[in-house]
Amino acid sequence: MSDRVKYDAVIVGSGPNGLAAAVTLARAGRSVLVLEGKETIGGGMRTLELTLPGYRHDVCSAVHPLGIASPFFRDLPLHEHGLSWIFPELPLAHLLDDRAVALHQSLERTAEGLGQDGKAYRRLFAPFVGDWQALLDEFLGPLGVPRQPLLMARFGRQAIESATRLARRTFDTPAARALFAGLAAHITLPLESPTTAATGLMLGMLAHAIGWPFARGGSQSIATALASYLDSLGGEIKTGAWVHSMRDIPPARAVLFDVTPRQLLDITGDELPSGYRNRLRGYRYGQGVFKIDWALSEPVPWRAAAARRAGTLHIGGTLDEIAAGERAIGDGKLPDPPFILFSQPSLFDRSRVPDNNSAAQTAWAYCHVPRGSTADMTTAIENRIERHAPGFRDCILARHTIDAVEYETYNPNYIGGDINGGMQDWRQLFTRPVARLDPYSTPNPRLFLCSSSTPPGGGVHGMCGYHAARSALRRALR
Ligand SMILES: Cc1cc2nc3c(=O)[nH]c(=O)nc-3n(C[C@H](O)[C@H](O)[C@H](O)COP(=O)(O)OP(=O)(O)OC[C@H]3O[C@@H](n4cnc5c(N)ncnc54)[C@H](O)[C@@H]3O)c2cc1C
């Protein structure tokens, strides 16, 4: 076969992990081809005019603490390829009925705003914020013996807890408890589950250490910068190239799949041994999401001043309310009311709206729903926003909605609307897709998995792709 081989590696899928794998291999001098099924690249990083001409919306990811902090992205000259980050004045505001809790990038200012819980908040986050880079390198680095065992032990002692337990034993006030619950709820699991505190700690730490930026021009700019850098290294990308079976892949020494286990099973057929296939069949997917994008005639008229200055808002009420909603989803029910993750990028990045309209805005919001739900959450989401921003509905020029099932149609990696490539509970966080010393490799020495269905899981950070490429370089591409 070797004289037919044109590429060292073919990568199936151009999400952040597929592109990260391709860049890593091209930097190591290997020839690479990325096959993307859709007509445009980017996976969860696309930005499109979903509503009206000139209004540019992030179809999936929008807020990038993991992107800016990613040890892999940090090592690439992406700014030379057009990527710049925009930092909102406040990374986050959490809305309660009677007030907004402001999460400033400054840990001190945030703690001051939390009154009697300020000291506890400072004590919780300060050690991690001070050492954020080492901690993140541990989490996003290769699996193995911790390089910073004491720091990891300190983090791990708290991270292993459920978010509800950590919030209740650390804080006394509803405001601090709710703030932590909102951070932790990004994991899309019942907040009583072990290790859900880890997400709250990680996202809070990153907000204070580095911020929660947007990519100027939309998340598509991250994909475009990665592709431009790949091009400068000689890598190739082909779009409109769905891979249904191994026959769709040109001969290559290695194939890396930016897909989830279910698609890997379909595509590879009996190229993988039956024992491994059976284990892949046991892979568990997480819950889904329902999302709305709006074109707005003016900024959202939030009652709370902090909400008007924040890039991201958590609209979910108290710890108990958020926990009840996430628990309901775990039981297959719709959350009532839903916990809403909201972002308003155009307040800080005017490239998202038409030039000739100085008031125009875009806004993005999603909530968790049971996997495979076709429920329309528009009214529930807009009612909740209207309560905090009377007059919001009058600002809506157009909206675009997408339910959990439509998300899977949009991107086959979002099984039933699961945006993390599989459930991220304690049993599956480090054993994705199966428990294996090198989870990126498969029993077939040519085939690798590089998607968020491998550690460290969901998010735009490229680390799954980077580690998978390193695995391929140690094995098939030695
Ligand atoms: C609503 C929403 C909000 C989110 N918010 C954030 C956020 O704010 N911050 C953040 O960090 N993350 C966020 N995420 C998660 C993030 O987008 C994903 O975790 C990330 O994109 C996963 O990257 P990936 O490379 O593993 O896969 P994907 O980004 O899903 O890319 C996979 C690519 O492979 C292609 N593909 C799949 N199958 C095939 C095939 N058979 N043949 C050819 N091509 C194929 C797909 O078309 C897609 O382009 C969000 C996601 C969603 C949906």
Side-chain angles (χ1 to χ4, degrees), residues 12-19 35-38 40-46 58-67 186 241-244 258-259 263 267 289 291 364 366 407 410-414 417-421 450-453 457-461 464:
V12 177
S14 70
N17 289 311
L19 291 175
L35 295 177
E36 168 55 51
K38 291 188 88 89
T40 58
I41 60 158
M45 304 180 291
R46 293 192 184 90
D58 286 328
V59 185
C60 304
S61 70
V63 187
H64 294 291
L66 294 170
H186 280 247
W242 285 111
V243 171
H244 301 290
D258 187 9
V259 305
Q263 299 128 281
I267 294 170
V289 302
K291 176 162 177 277
W364 161 117
Y366 72 91
Y407 251 128
Y410 170 74
N411 178 349
N413 280 24
Y414 298 152
D418 170 5
I419 67 175
N420 286 317
C450 70
S451 72
S452 60
S453 303
V460 173
H461 44 65
C464 312

Side-chain angles (χ1 to χ4, degrees), residues 186-200:
H186 280 247
I187 193 66
T188 327
L189 284 170
L191 296 187
E192 295 80 8
S193 312
T195 70
T196 44
T199 303

Side-chain angles (χ1 to χ4, degrees), residues 251-265:
R253 291 166 62 203
V255 184
L256 287 79
F257 291 92
D258 187 9
V259 305
T260 82
R262 193 174 294 179
Q263 299 128 281
L264 187 69
L265 281 165

Side-chain angles (χ1 to χ4, degrees), residues 305-382:
R308 299 195 287 271
R309 293 155 47 212
T312 302
L313 282 88
H314 288 164
I315 311 169
T318 63
L319 163 72
D320 289 342
E321 282 172 314
I322 299 172
E326 299 301 302
R327 205 166 43 240
I329 297 163
D331 295 338
K333 299 184 196 128
L334 291 175
D336 181 21
F339 168 61
I340 302 166
L341 299 98
F342 183 100
S343 89
Q344 40 191 11
S346 59
L347 275 185
F348 310 94
D349 176 5
R350 298 304 294 161
S351 72
R352 314 272 186 129
V353 285
D355 283 347
N356 56 0
N357 189 336
S358 61
Q361 300 291 334
T362 60
W364 161 117
Y366 72 91
C367 70
H368 301 147
V369 292
R371 180 175 58 255
S373 166
T374 52
D376 183 346
M377 300 296 284
T378 307
T379 305
I381 290 176
E382 291 185 353

Side-chain angles (χ1 to χ4, degrees), residues 192-444:
E192 295 80 8
S193 312
T195 70
T196 44
T199 303
L201 290 170
M202 183 59 73
L203 288 178
M205 173 188 86
L206 289 176
H208 293 304
I210 195 161
W212 282 15
F214 300 115
R216 186 182 301 275
S219 298
Q220 184 75 50
S221 310
I222 310 173
T224 306
L226 283 166
S228 163
Y229 181 46
L230 178 64
D231 182 57
S232 76
L233 298 169
E236 296 173 36
I237 300 178
K238 190 172 170 201
T239 55
W242 285 111
V243 171
H244 301 290
S245 77
M246 292 302 287
R247 284 189 298 281
D248 299 324
I249 301 173
R253 291 166 62 203
V255 184
L256 287 79
F257 291 92
D258 187 9
V259 305
T260 82
R262 193 174 294 179
Q263 299 128 281
L264 187 69
L265 281 165
D266 287 344
I267 294 170
T268 53
D270 54 15
E271 297 253 355
L272 292 172
S274 61
Y276 183 75
R277 293 174 62 77
N278 281 339
R279 290 169 75 202
L280 283 184
R281 281 192 196 99
Y283 189 74
R284 292 170 301 122
Y285 288 91
Q287 305 299 350
V289 302
F290 176 93
K291 176 162 177 277
I292 314 184
D293 286 281
W294 294 275
L296 301 173
S297 58
E298 57 189 86
V300 180
W302 301 111
R303 267 200 319 246
R308 299 195 287 271
R309 293 155 47 212
T312 302
L313 282 88
H314 288 164
I315 311 169
T318 63
L319 163 72
D320 289 342
E321 282 172 314
I322 299 172
E326 299 301 302
R327 205 166 43 240
I329 297 163
D331 295 338
K333 299 184 196 128
L334 291 175
D336 181 21
F339 168 61
I340 302 166
L341 299 98
F342 183 100
S343 89
Q344 40 191 11
S346 59
L347 275 185
F348 310 94
D349 176 5
R350 298 304 294 161
S351 72
R352 314 272 186 129
V353 285
D355 283 347
N356 56 0
N357 189 336
S358 61
Q361 300 291 334
T362 60
W364 161 117
Y366 72 91
C367 70
H368 301 147
V369 292
R371 180 175 58 255
S373 166
T374 52
D376 183 346
M377 300 296 284
T378 307
T379 305
I381 290 176
E382 291 185 353
N383 282 349
R384 195 141 213 218
I385 295 173
E386 184 77 27
R387 260 176 55 197
H388 294 281
F392 167 69
R393 278 215 172 81
D394 301 333
C395 306
I396 299 174
L397 300 173
R399 72 168 73 72
H400 173 272
T401 65
I402 179 163
D403 69 30
V405 168
E406 289 165 338
Y407 251 128
E408 184 175 339
T409 308
Y410 170 74
N411 178 349
N413 280 24
Y414 298 152
I415 306 286
D418 170 5
I419 67 175
N420 286 317
M423 196 176 275
Q424 304 208 120
D425 62 357
W426 62 275
R427 284 198 288 146
Q428 206 169 246
L429 190 54
F430 298 109
T431 57
R432 344 173 32 90
V434 298
R436 193 173 160 81
L437 223 46
D438 176 351
Y440 311 96
S441 69
T442 70
N444 182 322

